[in-house]
């Protein structure tokens, strides 16, 4: 008995490999890929807007504060230099002296005037005079650059706040995928749902199989991607995602799982990445949600529990049962073997039914010649004899 348990349990070499499987895409949709040894880092600065949007929130807030603070300090220092160069700071008590900026008596005052100029607060205590042409030019320059800084930084913060990936947090995938029969054919299935009442417009679903592959020439591809058909040919990949839907991949001759039985699937090493795309109804922005399933998260012979019930005048979705599955009778053979068995059964029925009908005709007392003619037709065509053969008798 101990020997049988040892033989049925996975070997010691398979368990560490299964535990050591590294996800390509995390369950929450984050891609587990880091860019290393990027030498041309200047490319990030060519698209500075996207770079700032992609930063973490604490870094984005830091850049937001620094952009305004450094701009105010820079122009405040220039206003102070103009006042210092003209001698305004030396004639503070001279009422006959016309300064560049009234009531600018030091660097702090110059800094406050820079803030008032760029933010158009304009308290009126400090104001530029018409006797300072260099100050007028600086005022125009700061007003223009200040508007550009406002547009750039406010735009970055607005885009970062309204990023559609936040909408993807309310798009959920089942924790497991299942393999079971649907209409007599093996199918790989998973479930998707939307927690919000506002819907995803033009939603579509895709699935990718990620596993290593070696070509005929000996090239090793560690993360080879293969499409899993989820209804692209029939249009079933276009979803009306109002209630949770079960997405089905039929394991046919074009599927990479065509020859995978239950045992072979459990010994395999792969990852299935699922991608749900659509437009957010409230904003019109494109949203993408992702998840993945490792081989340990694919349950053979299971089906999803129903989550939709009909109440008084509406349908109710019970998300407490969203991830639940239950076992169903499912053959352990591969889809190819199942199709071959079904084909042999169809062929047996195709040939056996005419044979039994022919025997019945002979028992009813048809002539020996008609029986021989019917037998000849049966051997020739594999179907019932034509009506003319009976009329001849």
């Amino acid at each position: 008995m101990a020997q049988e348990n040892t033989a049925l349990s996975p070997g010691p070499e398979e368990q560490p490999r299964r535990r050591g499987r590294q996800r390509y895409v995390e369950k929450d949709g984050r891609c587990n890929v880091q860019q290393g040894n990027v030498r041309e880092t200047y490319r990030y600065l060519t698209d500075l807007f996207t770079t700032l949007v992609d930063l973490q929130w604490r870094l984005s807030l830091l850049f937001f504060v620094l952009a305004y603070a450094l701009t105010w300090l820079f122009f405040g220092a220039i206003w102070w230099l103009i006042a210092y160069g003209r001698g305004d700071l030396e004639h503070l008590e001279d009422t006959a002296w016309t300064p560049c900026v009234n009531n600018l008596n030091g660097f702090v005052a110059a800094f406050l005037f820079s803030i008032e100029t760029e933010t158009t607060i304009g308290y009126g205590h400090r104001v530029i005079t018409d006797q300072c042409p260099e100050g007028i030019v600086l005022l125009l320059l700061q007003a223009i650059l200040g508007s550009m800084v406002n547009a750039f930084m406010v735009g970055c913060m607005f885009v970062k706040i309204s990023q559609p990936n936040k909408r993807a947090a309310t798009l959920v995938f089942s924790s497991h995928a299942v393999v079971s029969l649907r209409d007599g054919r093996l199918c790989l299935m998973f479930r998707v749902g939307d927690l919000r009442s506002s819907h995803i417009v033009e939603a579509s679903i895709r699935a990718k199989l990620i596993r290593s592959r070696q070509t005929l020439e000996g090239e090793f591809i560690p993360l080879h991607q293969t499409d899993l058909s989820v209804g692209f040919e029939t249009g079933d990949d276009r979803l009306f995602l109002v209630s949770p839907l079960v997405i089905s991949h039929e394991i046919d001759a074009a599927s990479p799982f065509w020859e995978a039985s239950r045992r072979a699937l459990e010994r395999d090493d792969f990852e299935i990445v699922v991608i749900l795309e659509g437009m957010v109804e409230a904003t019109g922005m494109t949203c993408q949600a992702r998840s993945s399933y490792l081989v340990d998260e694919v349950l053979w012979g299971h089906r999803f529990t129903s989550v939709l019930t009909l109440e008084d005048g509406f349908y109710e979705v019970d998300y407490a049962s969203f991830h639940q599955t239950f076992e169903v009778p499912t053959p352990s053979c591969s889809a190819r073997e199942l199709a071959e068995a079904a084909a042999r059964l169809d062929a047996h029925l195709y040939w056996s039914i005419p044979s039994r009908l022919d025997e019945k005709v002979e028992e009813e007392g048809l002539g020996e010649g008609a029986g021989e003619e019917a037998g000849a037709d049966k051997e020739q065509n594999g179907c019932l004899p034509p009506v003319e053969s009976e009329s001849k008798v």
Side-chain angles (χ1 to χ4, degrees):
M1 190 68 177
Q3 294 179 354
E4 294 180 358
N5 295 336
T6 304
L8 294 176
S9 61
E13 297 181 356
E14 295 181 359
Q15 292 181 355
R17 179 177 62 86
R18 187 64 51 82
R19 290 196 299 267
R21 170 72 187 190
Q22 180 63 57
R23 285 187 182 273
Y24 189 58
V25 176
E26 299 291 343
K27 296 293 285 185
D28 59 359
R30 293 182 295 106
C31 296
N32 198 13
V33 177
Q34 295 183 1
Q35 312 297 338
N37 294 328
V38 179
R39 301 180 183 275
E40 300 176 348
T41 54
Y42 66 90
R43 294 181 179 271
Y44 295 107
L45 298 179
T46 58
D47 188 10
L48 185 59
F49 185 86
T50 305
T51 301
L52 292 178
V53 171
D54 289 340
L55 291 177
Q56 297 179 355
W57 265 107
R58 58 178 180 269
L59 294 178
S60 295
L61 293 176
L62 177 62
F63 275 100
F64 187 82
V65 172
L66 288 178
Y68 284 102
L70 293 178
T71 305
W72 295 336
L73 286 172
F74 174 74
F75 284 101
I78 297 179
W79 284 114
W80 181 83
L81 289 175
I82 291 177
Y84 179 80
R86 284 172 50 87
D88 295 342
L89 301 179
E90 300 175 359
H91 298 82
L92 296 177
E93 303 298 332
D94 189 356
T95 57
W97 181 267
T98 303
C100 183
V101 179
N102 289 328
N103 301 311
L104 196 153
N105 53 12
F107 181 78
V108 176
F111 177 69
L112 293 176
F113 179 72
S114 175
I115 296 176
E116 295 175 13
T117 301
E118 190 166 332
T119 59
T120 65
I121 296 175
Y123 290 113
H125 182 65
R126 280 172 290 270
V127 62
I128 191 171
T129 62
D130 55 359
Q131 302 297 322
C132 183
E134 62 270 29
I136 295 174
V137 174
L138 182 61
L139 180 67
L140 295 174
L141 182 61
Q142 185 174 3
I144 295 173
L145 292 180
S147 299
M148 295 175 62
V149 171
N150 285 332
F152 190 83
M153 297 309 302
V154 172
C156 285
M157 296 304 294
F158 175 78
V159 172
K160 192 169 184 64
I161 291 173
S162 60
Q163 276 185 319
N165 56 3
K166 305 301 179 184
R167 177 64 176 88
T170 54
L171 297 174
V172 292
F173 296 86
S174 58
S175 58
H176 291 81
V178 299
V179 177
S180 60
L181 290 175
R182 176 174 277 192
D183 294 330
R185 299 177 181 179
L186 281 177
C187 294
L188 172 71
M189 294 170 284
F190 58 92
R191 184 149 60 185
V192 298
D194 189 359
L195 301 180
R196 287 189 180 273
S197 299
S198 59
H199 308 308
I200 295 294
V201 183
E202 295 293 332
S204 62
I205 191 75
R206 291 182 294 152
K208 292 279 188 179
L209 176 65
I210 310 294
R211 65 180 172 186
S212 59
R213 173 178 175 267
Q214 189 168 9
T215 64
L216 297 176
E217 294 78 14
E219 179 187 3
F220 179 73
I221 305 176
L223 296 173
H224 182 261
Q225 300 184 10
T226 305
D227 277 325
L228 294 179
S229 176
V230 288
F232 177 78
E233 297 82 2
T234 60
D236 291 338
D237 62 325
R238 315 294 291 184
L239 307 180
F240 183 48
L241 195 60
V242 177
S243 61
L245 300 175
V246 176
I247 310 301
S248 175
H249 163 67
E250 182 180 329
I251 304 179
D252 54 11
S255 172
F257 298 117
W258 174 241
E259 298 185 358
S261 63
R262 180 172 186 171
R263 287 182 175 273
L265 195 69
E266 292 174 352
R267 293 192 302 266
D268 204 346
D269 189 14
F270 61 84
E271 181 178 357
I272 299 174
V273 177
V274 293
I275 305 168
L276 176 63
E277 292 181 337
M279 290 190 302
V280 181
E281 187 178 29
T283 62
M285 301 179 69
T286 302
C287 171
Q288 185 181 95
R290 298 179 294 266
S291 186
S292 67
Y293 301 98
L294 296 179
V295 61
D296 295 334
E297 296 167 343
V298 179
L299 304 178
W300 189 287
H302 282 244
R303 188 178 297 163
F304 287 107
T305 304
S306 177
V307 296
L308 197 63
T309 58
L310 178 60
E311 301 297 333
D312 187 12
F314 62 92
Y315 292 95
E316 182 178 359
V317 178
D318 181 17
Y319 275 97
S321 305
F322 182 82
H323 302 284
Q324 294 181 2
T325 63
F326 61 94
E327 293 188 18
V328 292
T330 305
S332 299
C333 63
S334 65
R336 180 183 63 82
E337 295 171 341
L338 184 63
E340 291 177 353
R344 288 195 298 268
L345 179 61
D346 292 341
H348 175 72
L349 293 175
Y350 179 80
W351 289 101
S352 62
I353 292 177
S355 299
R356 293 175 182 176
L357 290 177
D358 292 340
E359 293 175 358
K360 184 177 180 181
V361 170
E362 292 178 358
E363 292 176 357
E364 289 179 353
L366 290 178
E368 182 177 353
E372 294 176 357
E373 186 176 354
D377 291 335
K378 181 191 68 173
E379 294 177 359
Q380 181 178 357
N381 301 322
C383 61
L384 289 175
V387 181
E388 292 78 9
S389 62
E390 297 183 1
S391 61
K392 291 178 181 179
V393 178

